[in-house]
Amino acid sequence: MLTANMASEISDSLIPPRNISSIKNKERRSQLYREMKRAKKKAKLQEKKKKVREAKAMGEKAPPKQVPKTLENMRVFDETMVDPEDEEVAADEEQDELSSYFHRDTVPKILITTTDRPSSRTNKFCKELKKIIPNSEIYYRRGLDLKKIIPQAVSRDFTVLLVVNEDKKEPNGLVISHLPDGPTAHFKMTSVRLTTDIKHVGAMSAHQPELIFNNFNTRLGHSVGRLLASLFHPDPNFHGRRVVTFHNQRDFIFFRQHRYEFKNGKKVALHELGPRFTLKLRSLQKGSFDSKFGQFEWIHKRHEMETSRRKFFL
């Protein structure tokens, strides 16, 4: 004989779930949706706790923990992936345009400029770049073509030309041209946050920063990483405890800057110094900047290249 509780459970299981979108009252619809989300979250948490308890009970016989699938670990194989100990790559890098920097034959000297009549926000971003990169100077274009600026920069011993582009009064592009022989990279720049936009930001010092490069694994990624490294002095000043990080994830290069400090001799705390921005490579060109006659090593062609979400180039 069925009890009242058993009959209630059977009747509830037979009733199809109500379609929330069919409810006309907006407040009631929103309330039911929030309740449904909470119930799903609670059920998911209970299921997770149940699996943990079962794994503990099984001990060594428990199945291995499953690794979640991500776009990174499902990445399409790229033939240009580089082994850090590859002798051929090392030999090529010994003779490329940036070899003089890595051999410490030249000291980085950076020229920062902008588009004509830059906005106040772009000017602030350039000033923060000047603080980030020691031995850098800002010069405004004043209508000059870049082809005329480059010979002047070379004659004054500048090693890199940085051009900050903008759109709708917001920095949106960065050109990095190594002088005098290149290469030149053009990046799209997004998610720019100045130090004034970041809460509890620290004060930036003038020490030469330590550099961290993550996930620049292909030949193209190596070239881009070496070009970014050439902006800074190869010998960091460790007393400043200042770290500049370029983190590549899915071909988006995230820039972050921190100061680290040791607590109790064991733990390390990070204090962000700002600014933040994200770079996306658009092209890599041989030689110094020449948009008309330059020879391009790589150009991002969206409709031809982005055929799979699991294929990356850096």
Side-chain angles (χ1 to χ4, degrees):
M1 189 172 180
L2 292 176
T3 63
N5 289 337
M6 293 173 63
S8 176
E9 290 178 2
I10 294 173
S11 62
D12 290 343
S13 64
L14 294 175
I15 298 174
R18 189 175 183 185
N19 187 1
I20 297 177
S21 61
S22 65
I23 299 175
K24 295 182 179 180
N25 188 297
K26 183 178 179 181
E27 293 184 3
R28 179 60 179 162
R29 188 169 66 243
S30 300
Q31 181 184 356
L32 288 175
Y33 179 76
R34 288 193 296 270
E35 291 176 357
M36 183 187 70
K37 293 282 287 184
R38 281 196 295 267
K40 285 185 176 180
K41 187 176 180 180
K42 185 177 180 180
K44 187 176 181 180
L45 181 61
Q46 290 176 348
E47 182 67 21
K48 185 177 181 180
K49 290 181 178 179
K50 180 182 176 183
K51 290 182 178 179
V52 172
R53 288 195 300 268
E54 291 176 352
K56 286 183 178 179
M58 295 177 68
E60 296 181 355
K61 297 181 180 180
K65 188 176 180 180
Q66 293 183 349
V67 179
K69 292 183 178 180
T70 64
L71 291 178
E72 283 81 6
N73 59 30
M74 296 173 63
R75 176 176 182 168
V76 175
F77 175 75
D78 193 324
E79 295 179 352
T80 64
M81 294 290 284
V82 175
D83 185 345
E85 299 180 358
D86 192 321
E87 296 181 358
E88 181 181 350
V89 175
D92 290 343
E93 292 178 351
E94 283 290 323
Q95 302 175 357
D96 66 6
E97 302 92 333
L98 300 173
S99 59
S100 61
Y101 162 79
F102 287 96
H103 290 156
R104 291 169 170 76
D105 296 333
T106 59
V107 177
K109 185 179 179 182
I110 316 302
L111 173 62
I112 302 173
T113 187
T114 64
T115 56
D116 291 332
R117 298 179 181 179
S119 65
S120 60
R121 188 168 176 83
T122 300
N123 284 333
K124 289 178 182 178
F125 180 73
C126 290
K127 290 176 181 178
E128 293 192 359
L129 281 181
K130 187 178 185 300
K131 291 181 179 180
I132 294 169
I133 307 172
N135 201 23
S136 59
E137 300 177 22
I138 300 175
Y139 286 91
Y140 295 104
R141 289 276 290 277
R142 297 174 184 173
L144 282 176
D145 191 2
L146 285 179
K147 291 182 180 180
K148 296 181 179 179
I149 294 177
I150 290 174
Q152 297 179 24
V154 172
S155 65
R156 297 182 184 181
D157 298 324
F158 284 101
T159 61
V160 179
L161 171 65
L162 252 65
V163 184
V164 180
N165 296 319
E166 70 170 25
D167 183 42
K168 298 178 181 178
K169 299 183 179 181
E170 183 74 21
N172 77 325
L174 185 67
V175 176
I176 303 176
S177 183
H178 194 272
L179 303 176
D181 301 320
T184 299
H186 178 213
F187 298 92
K188 178 183 178 181
M189 185 162 53
T190 56
S191 305
V192 177
R193 295 192 65 186
L194 303 178
T195 53
T196 52
D197 302 330
I198 303 172
K199 292 183 179 180
H200 311 297
V201 70
M204 200 183 310
S205 67
H207 294 89
Q208 300 289 350
E210 303 172 46
L211 301 180
I212 296 177
F213 290 87
N214 294 328
N215 301 332
F216 293 83
N217 299 323
T218 65
R219 290 297 296 265
L220 177 63
H222 264 237
S223 299
V224 172
R226 285 167 64 83
L227 180 60
L228 292 172
S230 69
L231 300 175
F232 302 89
H233 198 282
D235 298 316
N237 189 333
F238 295 102
H239 292 287
R241 305 191 311 279
R242 189 159 74 97
V243 181
V244 167
T245 302
F246 292 94
H247 175 75
N248 173 44
Q249 186 172 351
R250 304 178 191 175
D251 286 347
F252 289 92
I253 303 172
F254 298 91
F255 173 89
R256 296 292 186 272
Q257 183 181 203
H258 296 85
R259 179 181 293 110
Y260 61 87
E261 56 185 22
F262 299 98
K263 292 186 176 181
N264 302 325
K266 296 180 180 180
K267 295 183 179 180
V268 178
L270 294 177
H271 191 183
E272 186 171 2
L273 304 180
R276 302 177 189 170
F277 55 88
T278 305
L279 300 175
K280 176 81 170 179
L281 183 65
R282 289 304 182 196
S283 66
L284 183 65
Q285 175 185 335
K286 290 185 177 181
S288 58
F289 179 83
D290 189 344
S291 59
K292 190 173 182 181
F293 300 105
Q295 182 181 357
F296 289 88
E297 296 183 33
W298 186 87
I299 300 178
H300 180 259
K301 298 179 180 179
R302 180 180 177 185
H303 298 290
E304 296 180 19
M305 294 180 172
E306 295 183 0
T307 55
S308 172
R309 294 182 62 196
R310 296 184 288 113
K311 184 173 178 59
F312 309 116
F313 299 97
L314 299 183

